[in-house]
Amino acid sequence: MVPKQFVPTFGAECIDIHAVLHPARQVGGDLYDYLMLNEDEFGFAIGDVSGKGVPASLFMATTISQMRSLALRDTSLNYIMNLMNQSLIRTGNTSMFITFFAGVLNLNTNRLRFCNAGHPYPLLIAPDGTVSFFKTADNLPLGVTSDYDYEEQECYFAPGSQLLLYTDGVSEAQNERSKFYKIDRLFNLVTSHSQLAPRQMVEKVVGDVKRFVGKAEQSDDLTVMSFRLNARGKKKTEGLL
C-alpha cells in the first residue's frame, strides 16, 4: 500500500524523497504516501493508526485508498481532512483513530500547504543546515469526533529545505532498560547530520533507533520519511525521486 521504489517521477524531478516503514508485527498501522496531484503540486502524507497488527493495517489501507481518491479530486486539505475524518467516524470503530500529517507543495511557487492532525512535529532542515521543529496548529487526530473542522496552514518552502517526518515509533522506541529514545535524541542526531540527503538521513535515523533499542522487542511501528526541494533544473541524484 505504500511506495517502495523511489524512482524519478515526471513533474517532480526537483524533489528528493525517501521513506522506510518497519511494522512491529507482520503487518502494521503506520502509513506514508506521496504522488504528483497535478502538473504543479506534489502531495505527501504520513500517519499512525492507533493499535497494531491486522486491525490497524486494514484501517491504514482504507485511509490510504480514500486519501488518494480525494486528493486527485481536490487538493484542498480542508476538504481532504474533513471528509476523511467523517468517513472514519462513520465506520463506528470508536477505539481507533489516526494521527496524520499531509502536505501539498506547489513546485512553481514553492508554497507549502499543510495540515497536522495530532501527529508529531516534523523537523525542518533549512538550506543553511539549521534544524528546527516545524511547528503546526494542534488539530485532533482523525476519527476522534465528527464535530471538528480541520484547517490547512501555509508557508514558503525555500529550495534546499528538507523536511523529516516520522511516527512516534521513533521517539517512543524502548531499549532493554525500558528507556525511551525521545525526541531530543532525534533532534540532536539530525542536527549533527543535517548535510545528509533524504535517503541517507532516513537510514541514519533508523539505524540510530535500532542501535538504541538493541535486543529489545520492537514496541511500535516505526516510519521515517524525508524529502528535500532542490532548485529547478538541478541534476537528479541516482536512486532518489
Side-chain angles (χ1 to χ4, degrees):
M1 292 298 296
V2 298
K4 292 185 175 65
Q5 298 298 321
F6 300 94
V7 296
T9 295
F10 180 75
E13 292 87 353
C14 58
I15 297 288
D16 287 349
I17 189 168
H18 193 71
V20 167
L21 190 163
H22 290 306
R25 300 179 184 174
Q26 199 165 22
V27 292
D30 276 9
L31 62 97
Y32 68 83
D33 201 8
Y34 68 92
L35 69 164
M36 283 298 292
L37 302 174
N38 52 55
E39 62 181 11
D40 298 323
E41 294 183 310
F42 172 78
F44 62 93
I46 188 170
D48 182 1
V49 178
S50 61
K52 294 181 283 293
V54 173
S57 69
L58 293 174
F59 214 59
M60 176 271 287
T62 300
T63 300
I64 288 182
S65 296
Q66 185 178 49
M67 175 191 65
R68 289 175 179 171
S69 176
L70 291 172
L72 291 173
R73 188 186 313 165
D74 189 329
T75 64
S76 165
L77 292 174
N78 297 26
Y79 169 81
I80 295 170
M81 301 291 268
N82 282 310
L83 280 185
M84 286 177 61
N85 182 58
Q86 295 297 329
S87 178
L88 292 173
I89 291 294
R90 284 196 297 271
T91 66
N93 192 338
T94 57
S95 65
M96 302 192 79
F97 58 87
I98 304 175
T99 67
F100 196 77
F101 187 104
V104 177
L105 177 62
N106 188 302
L107 301 180
N108 287 327
T109 65
N110 297 340
R111 301 300 300 183
L112 173 63
R113 296 184 288 110
F114 56 93
C115 185
N116 187 354
H119 203 74
Y121 295 141
L123 293 180
L124 175 66
I125 306 171
D128 65 359
T130 303
V131 179
S132 61
F133 285 105
F134 189 74
K135 293 198 173 179
T136 64
D138 295 319
N139 294 298
L140 291 176
L142 299 174
V144 173
T145 177
S146 60
D147 188 24
Y148 195 84
D149 286 324
Y150 294 86
E151 295 186 9
E152 69 178 39
Q153 297 172 266
E154 185 176 335
C155 71
Y156 178 72
F157 197 76
S161 298
Q162 183 169 334
L163 200 63
L164 180 82
L165 305 106
Y166 52 92
T167 59
D168 62 11
V170 173
S171 56
E172 296 180 7
Q174 291 181 270
N175 63 17
E176 295 166 287
R177 295 175 295 166
S178 297
K179 300 292 184 180
F180 290 103
Y181 184 86
K182 294 186 178 180
I183 194 65
D184 289 346
R185 177 166 175 150
L186 176 63
F187 186 93
N188 291 335
L189 178 74
V190 173
T191 299
S192 298
H193 299 87
S194 61
Q195 79 285 355
L196 293 180
R199 179 186 293 273
Q200 289 72 38
M201 180 64 78
V202 169
E203 292 173 348
K204 177 66 69 174
V205 171
V206 173
D208 194 58
V209 172
K210 287 185 176 182
R211 281 190 294 274
F212 174 83
V213 170
K215 296 181 180 180
E217 182 179 358
Q218 184 177 339
S219 59
D220 198 3
D221 302 329
L222 184 155
T223 301
V224 183
M225 179 170 71
S226 187
F227 77 88
R228 181 172 62 194
L229 173 65
N230 295 321
R232 285 282 190 170
K234 186 174 180 178
K235 185 177 180 181
K236 297 186 292 294
T237 304
E238 184 179 358
L240 300 176
L241 178 66

